[in-house]
Amino acid sequence: MGLTAGIIGLPNVGKSTLFNAITKANVLSANYPFATIEPNVGYVEIKDERLMKIVEIVKPRNVVFASFSFTDIAGLVKGASKGEGLGNQFLSHIREVDAICQVVRCFDDPDVIHVSGKIDPLDDIETINLELTFADLEVIEKRLPKIEKKAQLKVDSDSELEYAVLKRAKEALEKGTSLRNIKFSDNELVLIKGYNFLTLKPMIYVLNVDENEVNTENDYVKMVREYATNTNTKAVVISAKIEEEVCELDDEDRLMFLSELGIVESGLEKLVRETYDLLGLATYFTAGEKEAKAWTFKKGMKAPECAGIIHSDFEKGFIRAEVISYDDFIAFGGLQKAKEAGKMRSEGKEYIFKDGDIVLFRFNV
């Protein structure tokens, strides 16, 4: 599944530094607004320890980790929805992503300028969220007059429902409520999916702290955590500077470096894990002599849909899925031994995949 998260925030909060760390892309990171104009896209491999353990047993010729794409979107400013800064050009890039990672500056540094001249994380968040809200309102206000008459005359049920849901969305946004905090029915979500509303996208706050404060919660962090809790939003603390330094090291040196800093899990690992959870994603594995691979799926997907992630023919001709849990695979030392122990299950079309399933699909086209 091609999944992407957009990295947004005000200028000079550490977005491009974080992006460099994520992708090792060495993207321009500069101490002035709009250093990033065109969005940069990079892919990061998710080094799932479970796949590494599977590889130790199977010893395949090829290993493919799941990947996640991050888009570094230029710094937004107050008035972006009205064209300030580079305005709607940036907002249009955000509409294409699955989730939003909003980087929030939670550090003091007189050498790094702030676009508004002061360090105030909640004010920064409000500025960004207001621009996303204004952009969504503009979309709704353009659409409503076009379907109002059809809805009032009850020409068709879809127009009637679309009009009603857009009116409800407009009222919520005008009260300052993001659309992700509004309960929409599945049918309503289908009707408004094409609008790619910015405030409907899942969001996670990435709290960028000084490298000396990564293991402590400074006042800025506490402030944002409380705000995130009250708005039912996730927050992750990282030091973009540390992540950028760590990304150049090999695995052994990286672990040693993080250990010396008292860091159990890197900021990138935390961010990817939380973003996966935010999007309701999970992983299943295929493992053979030729290749061991991690596949990303949405929680709740049934076996044929998961088969279709590999190839559409797998879904069309699906017969069954032969499944072994990750724990059984490791405990018995591989597929064959787990199968001999009766741990392989033959699952049909109604089987809902679980995180960590190791699977062999049977299909016929």
Side-chain angles (χ1 to χ4, degrees), residues 21-41:
I22 286 172
T23 64
K24 301 182 183 179
N26 296 317
V27 173
L28 171 66
S29 176
N31 184 23
Y32 55 88
F34 310 122
T36 307
I37 297 176
E38 287 300 318
N40 300 295
V41 180

Side-chain angles (χ1 to χ4, degrees), residues 96-114:
E96 305 306 314
V97 302
D98 298 302
I100 296 173
C101 298
Q102 184 178 158
V103 181
V104 183
R105 178 171 172 173
C106 290
F107 64 89
D108 292 305
D109 187 339
D111 295 328
V112 179
I113 61 174
H114 190 286

Side-chain angles (χ1 to χ4, degrees), residues 72-356:
D72 179 26
I73 297 163
L76 293 171
V77 294
K78 197 169 187 175
S81 60
K82 302 299 179 187
E84 292 296 323
L86 294 183
N88 285 316
Q89 179 183 343
F90 294 169
L91 294 171
S92 66
H93 296 314
I94 305 172
R95 293 197 187 281
E96 305 306 314
V97 302
D98 298 302
I100 296 173
C101 298
Q102 184 178 158
V103 181
V104 183
R105 178 171 172 173
C106 290
F107 64 89
D108 292 305
D109 187 339
D111 295 328
V112 179
I113 61 174
H114 190 286
V115 71
S116 65
K118 62 178 181 177
I119 310 301
D120 187 341
L122 295 188
D123 187 62
D124 293 354
I125 288 171
E126 184 179 3
T127 297
I128 295 292
N129 289 349
L130 274 175
E131 293 310 317
L132 302 184
T133 296
F134 292 151
D136 282 352
L137 276 170
E138 184 179 355
V139 170
I140 293 172
E141 286 165 356
K142 284 180 179 178
R143 177 62 178 165
L144 280 175
K146 295 178 181 178
I147 61 170
E148 184 174 14
K149 189 167 284 186
K150 283 176 73 176
Q152 289 174 343
L153 294 174
K154 302 189 180 198
V155 173
D156 63 80
S157 58
D158 279 354
S159 295
E160 198 176 343
L161 181 57
E162 183 186 358
Y163 183 78
V165 74
L166 288 179
K167 285 282 284 183
R168 187 152 64 94
K170 182 174 183 287
E171 289 167 6
L173 291 168
E174 288 173 339
K175 290 176 183 175
T177 303
S178 295
L179 297 184
R180 74 180 70 88
N181 292 323
I182 302 299
K183 182 68 176 173
F184 294 108
S185 70
D186 291 342
N187 197 21
E188 288 173 334
L189 287 172
V190 169
L191 282 173
I192 62 175
K193 182 180 179 181
Y195 293 114
N196 279 328
F197 287 127
L198 302 175
T199 65
L200 188 57
K201 294 182 183 296
M203 181 183 286
I204 186 167
Y205 294 115
V206 183
L207 315 186
N208 187 18
V209 300
D210 184 85
E211 55 192 316
N212 297 316
E213 296 184 312
V214 72
N215 289 321
T216 60
E217 299 229 330
N218 64 31
D219 290 340
Y220 296 138
V221 171
K222 290 174 184 174
M223 197 185 303
V224 179
R225 279 210 187 278
E226 183 179 356
Y227 175 85
T229 299
N230 293 336
T231 55
N232 196 30
T233 315
K234 287 180 175 289
V236 169
V237 176
I238 67 155
S239 167
K241 194 176 289 186
I242 287 177
E243 296 302 316
E244 191 172 37
E245 291 174 9
V246 163
C247 75
E248 298 299 330
L249 305 175
D250 60 33
D251 288 345
E252 188 176 340
D253 289 341
R254 179 176 62 86
L255 289 173
M256 189 181 300
F257 180 79
L258 292 174
S259 178
E260 288 173 359
L261 294 173
I263 299 172
V264 177
E265 184 181 31
S266 76
L268 172 56
E269 288 168 338
K270 282 192 291 187
L271 180 57
V272 169
R273 176 168 49 77
E274 292 289 359
T275 307
Y276 254 56
D277 186 58
L278 189 68
L279 292 170
L281 302 177
T283 305
Y284 76 82
F285 304 97
T286 52
E289 290 181 4
K290 288 185 179 178
E291 183 178 85
K293 185 168 182 176
W295 302 88
T296 302
F297 69 98
K298 282 192 176 289
K299 291 174 184 175
M301 287 178 73
K302 293 182 179 179
E305 295 174 286
C306 287
I309 293 170
I310 297 177
H311 196 285
S312 58
D313 284 349
F314 281 35
E315 183 172 7
K316 288 175 188 172
F318 178 86
I319 298 173
R320 67 181 183 277
E322 295 180 355
V323 182
I324 296 173
S325 73
Y326 169 78
D327 289 340
D328 286 338
F329 185 93
I330 298 300
F332 288 94
L335 189 145
Q336 189 57 40
K337 289 179 181 177
K339 183 178 180 180
E340 289 169 0
K343 297 298 181 180
M344 178 177 278
R345 310 184 311 274
S346 183
E347 302 287 1
K349 292 182 178 180
E350 296 303 310
Y351 175 68
I352 296 173
F353 262 53
K354 296 178 178 62
D355 185 48

